[in-house]
Amino acid sequence: KEGKKKKKSIFTRARFVLKMSLPTDLASALDALTLGANVDAVSAALSSWKRAMEDASAAELPAAVVPQLVAAFDAVAQREDRAQALVAAANLNELVAELCKTEAGRDALGAGGVPQRCVQALSEAAEAKYVRGRIQAFRAIGNLCYDHEDNRKRVLEANGVPALVQALASAQHASGSEGSGAGEAGSAAADEASESEANRAGVGAVLNAATTDMDEVQQSLVQSGVLESLLWLLGQAKTPAEREAAFQALARFQGTDKLLSSIATGGGIKALVTRLATADDADTTDNAAMLRAIASAEAYTSHFAEQDIPLDLLRLAHQSATRPQSAAAAAILLSIILSEPACRTQLTATPERQHELQELLLAWIRSGAGDEGADDKAKAAEPEDTPERAQMRKALDEMGAGFTLAVAGALGVGNLVADEASAQRLGAHAGLIASLVRLAERDLSDTQHAALGALKNLANCAANKVRVLACPHLARVLLTAMSSTHLPIQYTAASLVRSLCLQQPAERVVQLALSEPGLVPRLVKLGGSEEARIRAESARALVNFVRYGQHAELNGMLLQAGAVGSFRALLQLEYPLLHVEGLVALVLLAAGSAEARSTIRADAELLPLLGTLLHSAPEPPEVKCNALSLCAALLSEQAAASDAEQTLLQAVQDAQTDSHPTVRAQATMALKNMVK
């Protein structure tokens, strides 16, 4: 009894302070909020405060009410009747939310200790499963944090971030009976407050707390599990408003390390794709950017194969007439996820799907390739552009993501032809390869790169090599690409040249190499690139000119352009396969003429390098045997004269004691062919 009297006296003193510090009508209104559970009385009291706040002369009112408001929160926290206390705290939080709609209110209440009380009220309402209490506490905290870094810090220091996330999770998993924890009055309040409103209020509080430059606030939210809660709501919310609120909050965490992994592994991809297909088409930019970032991350691409997502994207890509932004985003995503085998399987599971996907990709490519330079057959195969595709192209341009509709089509084709059967099927489409060749000539880096990549993958099929080599002006297109300032384009173009020469008749290889005078010199120049992979791929293309061309004029052009240095560069890389290729090219050149042998011998760095290869224990027999063949050719017409030639001769003699019998036999044969 004494304890009850003491708590009652504290609460009575709080009421007395309120009446002494505020105008009579507002003090009475605050009393009603603090004491009453009557809905009409609470509504009338809040109306009194709202009217007072709308008065221009009441700018200082929030500062004046802070001591009384804090005292009221503290008095309510000590009430023994917890059901009535929860209702009273919800009333006070509703008042806080109103007072914090102004900057002056946020300043005054934040500095006066109100954020800590709101956080405590939120935790108690969540624990009691009192939905109205959570809604009003969410609103109060959200408004306190709106555009206010100091209040965000205060909420953080009050352990408010975990409380916020836990209450949000509690709201998401609420049952229809929620509100019973507040007793009879609480149940009545819960009847008026919807679960959807609780979700929106909670997400709004998260949104205002997360819109900050304070890394510790965002990190605390992420560590407390806010991403999982928002993703759950994005996928399970019952109303579009809830889903949209959840998405807007998620978008605030773009750039955080955990966002992509949480979306990918937490089922969020399906929810984002659903929003892409249903939200206002003009509001899908952030949505598309998130999905694109996930699709582009190799670790997460496989998650797109879940829940029929590839088929959802295929359907959406057809909606260019009504949803150009979303259809453009779907086009990008389809082109990327085709690199994932499980996604390819879904999209090509039946002949009908194969046909649908292929026709879509081809239409995108042709929409960007244009007719200039196309032969009559290719022109006939390319349908006229449509307004729908024009809208999609415009949408892609507005995204500013480096994609165009043609890029999406070329990238998709390149990813789709992962096996020879697919490459054969697509390559047979009239006009496809010609369109890709024209795209590869465009002075647009993303377009060039995607088109060259598609051509390279298509050329893995022997029949497609013939189709590519038959394209007019192919060598000019390749030279243009290799002259790009973008290293990936240089590499892909050189790699395509190398691939096109493989196992082709000599006349086709010679025609490719000689039809554009600058092609060989450009490959030689790239053979000296600072980028190791460009250096290697360019030199390997030159190797194939020698191996498969076997043409005196071409060999002379190679020697004159300085290809010996490119072949030597292959010997300086760490891969034995490249050593073999470089040596084979040099051996074939040396066998061609005395002039060629003289040019090779004149390379000051080559002879010492050959000696190093012969003395290197890890080098496989194929490397040493080819090196010995080259040594024999270079010293077959004159005795070793220079110091370098003498050193090389000694290396050949030493090879007679090599651990491998084939190398020993090759060394003996080489010495027999040398001039002593």
Side-chain angles (χ1 to χ4, degrees):
K1 289 181 180 180
E2 289 299 320
K4 288 181 180 179
K5 287 180 181 178
K6 185 176 180 182
K7 290 179 181 177
K8 186 176 181 180
S9 66
I10 292 172
F11 188 68
T12 303
R13 286 200 301 274
R15 291 176 60 200
F16 179 74
V17 170
L18 298 179
K19 289 179 179 178
M20 292 296 293
S21 305
L22 292 171
T24 303
D25 60 333
L26 294 183
S28 299
L30 192 50
D31 272 352
L33 296 177
T34 308
L35 294 175
N38 182 276
V39 174
D40 292 335
V42 168
S43 177
L46 287 169
S47 295
S48 296
W49 273 96
K50 288 178 182 178
R51 285 193 299 272
M53 289 297 296
E54 289 170 359
D55 191 335
S57 64
E60 302 301 321
L61 189 57
V65 79
V66 169
Q68 294 89 336
L69 190 57
V70 169
F73 267 114
D74 292 344
V76 166
Q78 296 183 55
R79 292 182 68 175
E80 226 174 52
D81 187 337
R82 298 314 302 155
Q84 292 297 323
L86 288 167
V87 173
N91 296 339
L92 292 174
N93 272 316
E94 191 167 356
L95 176 58
V96 170
E98 293 300 323
L99 293 171
C100 289
K101 288 181 177 179
T102 67
E103 187 175 358
R106 292 191 290 276
D107 288 341
L109 271 64
V114 173
Q116 295 88 326
R117 272 76 180 179
C118 294
V119 169
Q120 181 181 352
L122 176 63
S123 296
E124 291 175 356
E127 184 178 355
K129 299 182 178 179
Y130 177 33
V131 66
R132 178 174 174 266
R134 285 204 316 277
I135 289 172
Q136 300 308 331
F138 279 144
R139 291 183 63 235
I141 293 171
N143 288 1
L144 277 163
C145 290
Y146 177 77
D147 197 25
H148 206 292
E149 293 286 32
D150 288 341
N151 284 349
R152 290 176 185 132
K153 187 175 182 181
R154 290 173 181 127
V155 169
L156 179 68
E157 291 172 347
N159 206 32
V161 169
L164 197 60
V165 174
Q166 289 166 15
L168 179 61
S170 176
Q172 292 165 6
H173 296 287
S175 66
S177 63
E178 187 167 78
S180 59
E184 208 171 289
S187 296
D191 289 340
E192 298 174 10
S194 70
E195 190 177 313
S196 174
E197 186 180 357
N199 288 335
R200 293 198 306 274
V203 172
V206 169
L207 192 59
N208 286 347
T211 308
T212 175
D213 293 329
M214 296 172 60
D215 290 341
E216 56 267 39
V217 173
Q218 285 209 349
Q219 288 171 4
S220 181
L221 282 164
V222 171
Q223 290 168 1
S224 299
V226 72
L227 297 180
E228 289 77 6
S229 294
L230 292 173
L231 284 167
W232 184 93
L233 184 56
L234 184 66
Q236 303 298 325
K238 297 177 181 178
T239 67
E242 291 174 75
R243 283 193 294 273
E244 190 58 25
F247 173 77
Q248 295 301 331
L250 270 175
R252 287 286 185 264
F253 294 91
Q254 287 193 75
T256 57
D257 294 338
K258 197 178 177 184
L259 178 62
L260 297 187
S261 62
S262 296
I263 293 174
T265 59
I269 297 176
K270 181 73 171 182
L272 287 177
V273 171
T274 299
R275 182 184 182 275
L276 193 64
T278 56
D280 187 335
D281 196 51
D283 295 333
T284 56
T285 302
D286 286 342
N287 197 152
M290 283 188 202
L291 287 167
R292 191 165 59 247
I294 298 167
S296 300
E298 189 175 346
Y300 307 135
T301 312
S302 61
H303 292 284
F304 275 84
E306 300 166 0
Q307 298 178 283
D308 294 329
I309 291 170
L311 300 181
D312 293 340
L313 292 172
L314 184 60
R315 283 189 289 271
L316 184 56
H318 283 292
Q319 298 179 29
S320 55
T322 56
R323 302 184 60 81
Q325 288 264 124
S326 302
I332 295 173
L333 293 168
L334 275 173
S335 69
I336 296 173
I337 67 172
L338 279 168
S339 64
E340 173 61 37
C343 293
R344 282 200 305 274
T345 298
Q346 283 191 39
L347 290 165
T348 59
T350 65
E352 292 76 19
R353 282 187 196 167
Q354 281 183 13
H355 178 76
E356 178 186 2
L357 177 62
Q358 290 172 11
E359 291 303 314
L360 199 60
L361 295 174
L362 294 171
W364 295 344
I365 290 170
R366 289 165 177 164
S367 73
D371 284 335
E372 184 179 353
D375 56 29
D376 292 338
K377 184 178 178 181
K379 287 180 182 178
E382 296 179 14
E384 294 183 4
D385 201 7
T386 64
E388 291 80 7
R389 285 202 290 272
Q391 283 185 297
M392 286 180 69
R393 286 203 304 277
K394 181 181 177 183
L396 284 165
D397 290 340
E398 291 172 353
M399 287 181 190
F403 275 88
T404 65
L405 201 55
V407 169
L411 183 61
V413 166
N415 285 331
L416 186 57
V417 294
D419 58 87
E420 188 165 350
S422 298
Q424 175 71 36
R425 186 171 59 249
L426 273 169
H429 273 266
L432 168 63
I433 286 176
S435 294
L436 287 170
V437 170
R438 291 197 299 282
L439 282 179
E441 197 174 11
R442 296 293 172 87
D443 189 19
L444 298 167
S445 59
D446 295 294
T447 303
Q448 274 188 310
H449 192 219
L452 289 166
L455 286 168
K456 181 177 180 296
N457 289 355
L458 282 164
N460 289 330
C461 166
N464 288 339
K465 279 187 175 66
V466 177
R467 296 183 178 108
V468 176
L469 287 167
C471 288
H473 314 300
L474 173 66
R476 184 190 68 197
V477 172
L478 293 171
L479 177 58
T480 299
M482 287 191 293
S483 301
S484 168
T485 57
H486 296 273
L487 301 184
I489 294 177
Q490 294 177 5
Y491 170 80
T492 309
S495 185
L496 177 56
V497 173
R498 179 184 69 81
S499 176
L500 289 172
C501 295
L502 290 171
Q503 300 174 344
Q504 288 300 299
E507 60 270 18
R508 288 182 185 150
V509 176
V510 173
Q511 182 181 6
L512 174 63
L514 298 182
S515 60
E516 187 65 39
L519 186 66
V520 169
R522 182 59 186 168
L523 280 168
V524 170
K525 186 169 183 178
L526 291 180
S529 171
E530 293 181 359
E531 187 78 14
R533 65 176 192 151
I534 295 176
R535 192 163 66 243
E537 207 66 6
S538 302
R540 296 180 76 194
L542 294 169
V543 167
N544 285 353
F545 281 167
V546 177
R547 291 180 68 175
Y548 299 106
Q550 300 181 14
H551 191 270
E553 182 183 351
L554 175 55
N555 288 352
M557 181 183 289
L558 289 164
L559 290 168
Q560 186 177 1
V564 172
S566 299
F567 300 144
R568 186 222 322 128
L570 288 177
L571 307 185
Q572 294 169 320
L573 296 172
E574 58 180 315
Y575 305 104
L577 173 64
L578 300 184
H579 298 170
V580 171
E581 290 192 15
L583 288 167
V584 166
L586 288 167
V587 169
L588 291 173
L589 283 176
S593 67
E595 182 182 358
R597 291 189 287 274
S598 176
T599 302
I600 296 171
R601 276 198 305 270
D603 188 301
E605 297 179 52
L606 178 61
L607 299 187
L609 186 56
L610 290 174
T612 300
L613 291 175
L614 289 174
H615 282 127
S616 176
E619 289 291 351
E622 293 83 358
V623 172
K624 293 185 177 182
C625 287
N626 279 292
L628 288 166
S629 295
L630 180 58
C631 292
L634 295 179
L635 299 177
S636 62
E637 297 171 323
Q638 63 182 49
S642 66
D643 290 342
E645 291 172 347
Q646 289 287 349
T647 302
L648 183 60
L649 177 60
Q650 183 60 53
V652 174
Q653 292 171 342
D654 294 342
Q656 292 181 102
T657 61
D658 191 90
S659 60
H660 199 282
T662 305
V663 175
R664 293 197 298 270
Q666 187 71 31
T668 301
M669 186 179 299
L671 286 170
K672 288 180 180 178
N673 293 330
M674 290 180 181
V675 177
K676 306 298 187 292

Short mmCIF file of all heavy atoms in Angstrom, two decimals, residues 83-105:
data_model
loop_
_atom_site.label_atom_id
_atom_site.label_comp_id
_atom_site.label_asym_id
_atom_site.label_seq_id
_atom_site.Cartn_x
_atom_site.Cartn_y
_atom_site.Cartn_z
N ALA A 83 -1.40 -2.02 -18.66
CA ALA A 83 -2.28 -1.82 -19.82
C ALA A 83 -2.57 -0.33 -20.01
O ALA A 83 -2.48 0.21 -21.12
CB ALA A 83 -3.58 -2.60 -19.64
N GLN A 84 -2.93 0.35 -18.90
CA GLN A 84 -3.19 1.78 -18.98
C GLN A 84 -1.91 2.56 -19.30
O GLN A 84 -1.94 3.56 -20.02
CB GLN A 84 -3.80 2.27 -17.66
CG GLN A 84 -5.21 1.76 -17.39
CD GLN A 84 -6.20 2.25 -18.44
OE1 GLN A 84 -6.11 3.38 -18.92
NE2 GLN A 84 -7.14 1.40 -18.82
N ALA A 85 -0.78 2.08 -18.77
CA ALA A 85 0.50 2.76 -19.04
C ALA A 85 0.85 2.69 -20.52
O ALA A 85 1.35 3.66 -21.10
CB ALA A 85 1.61 2.14 -18.20
N LEU A 86 0.62 1.53 -21.14
CA LEU A 86 0.91 1.40 -22.58
C LEU A 86 0.05 2.35 -23.41
O LEU A 86 0.54 2.97 -24.36
CB LEU A 86 0.67 -0.05 -23.03
CG LEU A 86 1.70 -1.08 -22.56
CD1 LEU A 86 1.17 -2.49 -22.79
CD2 LEU A 86 3.02 -0.88 -23.28
N VAL A 87 -1.22 2.47 -23.03
CA VAL A 87 -2.10 3.37 -23.76
C VAL A 87 -1.64 4.82 -23.59
O VAL A 87 -1.57 5.60 -24.55
CB VAL A 87 -3.56 3.21 -23.28
CG1 VAL A 87 -4.46 4.26 -23.92
CG2 VAL A 87 -4.08 1.82 -23.60
N ALA A 88 -1.29 5.18 -22.35
CA ALA A 88 -0.84 6.54 -22.08
C ALA A 88 0.45 6.85 -22.84
O ALA A 88 0.62 7.94 -23.41
CB ALA A 88 -0.63 6.73 -20.58
N ALA A 89 1.39 5.89 -22.86
CA ALA A 89 2.64 6.10 -23.58
C ALA A 89 2.39 6.27 -25.08
O ALA A 89 3.03 7.10 -25.75
CB ALA A 89 3.59 4.93 -23.34
N ALA A 90 1.44 5.51 -25.61
CA ALA A 90 1.10 5.66 -27.03
C ALA A 90 0.53 7.06 -27.29
O ALA A 90 0.86 7.70 -28.30
CB ALA A 90 0.09 4.59 -27.44
N ASN A 91 -0.31 7.56 -26.35
CA ASN A 91 -0.85 8.91 -26.50
C ASN A 91 0.27 9.95 -26.52
O ASN A 91 0.27 10.88 -27.34
CB ASN A 91 -1.82 9.23 -25.36
CG ASN A 91 -3.05 8.33 -25.38
OD1 ASN A 91 -3.38 7.75 -26.42
ND2 ASN A 91 -3.72 8.22 -24.24
N LEU A 92 1.21 9.81 -25.58
CA LEU A 92 2.33 10.76 -25.51
C LEU A 92 3.19 10.69 -26.77
O LEU A 92 3.64 11.73 -27.28
CB LEU A 92 3.17 10.48 -24.26
CG LEU A 92 2.48 10.76 -22.92
CD1 LEU A 92 3.36 10.30 -21.76
CD2 LEU A 92 2.14 12.24 -22.78
N ASN A 93 3.43 9.50 -27.27
CA ASN A 93 4.23 9.37 -28.50
C ASN A 93 3.51 9.99 -29.70
O ASN A 93 4.15 10.55 -30.60
CB ASN A 93 4.53 7.90 -28.79
CG ASN A 93 5.79 7.43 -28.10
OD1 ASN A 93 6.80 8.14 -28.10
ND2 ASN A 93 5.74 6.26 -27.48
N GLU A 94 2.19 9.89 -29.70
CA GLU A 94 1.44 10.52 -30.78
C GLU A 94 1.62 12.04 -30.72
O GLU A 94 1.74 12.71 -31.76
CB GLU A 94 -0.04 10.15 -30.69
CG GLU A 94 -0.82 10.55 -31.92
CD GLU A 94 -2.21 9.92 -31.97
OE1 GLU A 94 -2.55 9.11 -31.08
OE2 GLU A 94 -2.95 10.24 -32.93
N LEU A 95 1.65 12.59 -29.49
CA LEU A 95 1.90 14.02 -29.34
C LEU A 95 3.32 14.38 -29.79
O LEU A 95 3.54 15.38 -30.47
CB LEU A 95 1.68 14.43 -27.89
CG LEU A 95 2.01 15.89 -27.55
CD1 LEU A 95 1.18 16.84 -28.41
CD2 LEU A 95 1.79 16.17 -26.06
N VAL A 96 4.30 13.54 -29.41
CA VAL A 96 5.69 13.77 -29.82
C VAL A 96 5.79 13.82 -31.35
O VAL A 96 6.45 14.68 -31.92
CB VAL A 96 6.63 12.68 -29.26
CG1 VAL A 96 8.02 12.77 -29.90
CG2 VAL A 96 6.73 12.79 -27.75
N ALA A 97 5.12 12.88 -32.01
CA ALA A 97 5.17 12.85 -33.48
C ALA A 97 4.64 14.16 -34.06
O ALA A 97 5.18 14.68 -35.05
CB ALA A 97 4.35 11.67 -34.00
N GLU A 98 3.58 14.73 -33.43
CA GLU A 98 3.04 16.00 -33.92
C GLU A 98 4.01 17.15 -33.65
O GLU A 98 4.25 18.00 -34.51
CB GLU A 98 1.69 16.29 -33.25
CG GLU A 98 0.57 15.34 -33.65
CD GLU A 98 0.29 15.38 -35.14
OE1 GLU A 98 0.37 16.47 -35.74
OE2 GLU A 98 0.00 14.31 -35.71
N LEU A 99 4.56 17.17 -32.44
CA LEU A 99 5.48 18.26 -32.07
C LEU A 99 6.74 18.26 -32.93
O LEU A 99 7.34 19.31 -33.19
CB LEU A 99 5.87 18.15 -30.59
CG LEU A 99 4.75 18.39 -29.57
CD1 LEU A 99 5.23 18.02 -28.18
CD2 LEU A 99 4.29 19.84 -29.62
N CYS A 100 7.17 17.08 -33.40
CA CYS A 100 8.42 16.95 -34.17
C CYS A 100 8.22 17.15 -35.67
O CYS A 100 9.13 16.86 -36.46
CB CYS A 100 9.06 15.59 -33.91
SG CYS A 100 9.76 15.45 -32.27
N LYS A 101 7.07 17.65 -36.05
CA LYS A 101 6.89 17.97 -37.46
C LYS A 101 7.57 19.27 -37.84
O LYS A 101 7.63 19.62 -39.02
CB LYS A 101 5.39 18.03 -37.80
CG LYS A 101 4.74 16.65 -37.81
CD LYS A 101 3.27 16.73 -38.18
CE LYS A 101 2.66 15.33 -38.26
NZ LYS A 101 1.20 15.37 -38.60
N THR A 102 8.08 19.99 -36.85
CA THR A 102 8.84 21.21 -37.11
C THR A 102 10.27 21.02 -36.64
O THR A 102 10.55 20.22 -35.74
CB THR A 102 8.23 22.41 -36.37
OG1 THR A 102 8.39 22.23 -34.95
CG2 THR A 102 6.77 22.58 -36.70
N GLU A 103 11.16 21.78 -37.25
CA GLU A 103 12.57 21.68 -36.85
C GLU A 103 12.76 22.12 -35.41
O GLU A 103 13.54 21.52 -34.67
CB GLU A 103 13.42 22.54 -37.79
CG GLU A 103 14.91 22.37 -37.55
CD GLU A 103 15.76 23.12 -38.55
OE1 GLU A 103 15.18 23.74 -39.48
OE2 GLU A 103 17.00 23.09 -38.41
N ALA A 104 12.02 23.16 -34.99
CA ALA A 104 12.13 23.62 -33.61
C ALA A 104 11.70 22.52 -32.64
O ALA A 104 12.31 22.32 -31.58
CB ALA A 104 11.27 24.87 -33.40
N GLY A 105 10.64 21.80 -33.01
CA GLY A 105 10.19 20.70 -32.17
C GLY A 105 11.23 19.60 -32.08
O GLY A 105 11.48 19.05 -31.00
#
